[in-house]
Amino acid sequence: KLVQTVEHMSPKAAAGLIERLDERLAVSAMAQIETGRLAKIMNVLSPDKSSRLSEILATGKVQHRDPAAAPAAPAEGKGTKG
């Protein structure tokens, strides 16, 4: 029922729902949505969420990310020449 419901929603409304779902449930539903429809929905998702769910969809693995492990952005004015 969830997949059928999402497929009948506008891409914006479907993206809003998927953003709030548990990642495993979201990916399970996404795997069953027609590719063209899913592309329209993913286009509306936030870039971070779209990337994360795409990674899970492709690998089948939910990896817990540690935000503290993310590389720090270079300080302004550093790391550039000129």
Side-chain angles (χ1 to χ4, degrees):
K1 273 289 208 203
L2 176 62
V3 173
Q4 292 173 339
T5 302
V6 170
E7 286 181 331
H8 284 90
M9 298 170 82
S10 71
K12 184 176 181 179
L17 174 63
I18 288 172
E19 288 262 2
R20 291 169 181 81
L21 288 176
D22 171 79
E23 288 182 344
R24 290 183 185 129
L25 180 58
V27 169
S28 176
M30 290 168 62
Q32 299 176 58
I33 297 171
E34 186 269 324
T35 304
R37 181 81 178 141
L38 181 58
K40 291 177 182 178
I41 293 168
M42 292 184 71
N43 192 47
V44 183
L45 288 171
S46 70
D48 287 342
K49 192 67 160 186
S50 180
S51 173
R52 174 91 173 123
L53 294 177
S54 294
E55 180 180 316
I56 297 167
L57 192 60
T59 65
K61 297 178 183 177
V62 176
Q63 298 176 359
H64 299 284
R65 295 186 181 185
D66 180 4
E76 193 172 322
K78 294 189 177 184
T80 59
K81 294 181 180 180

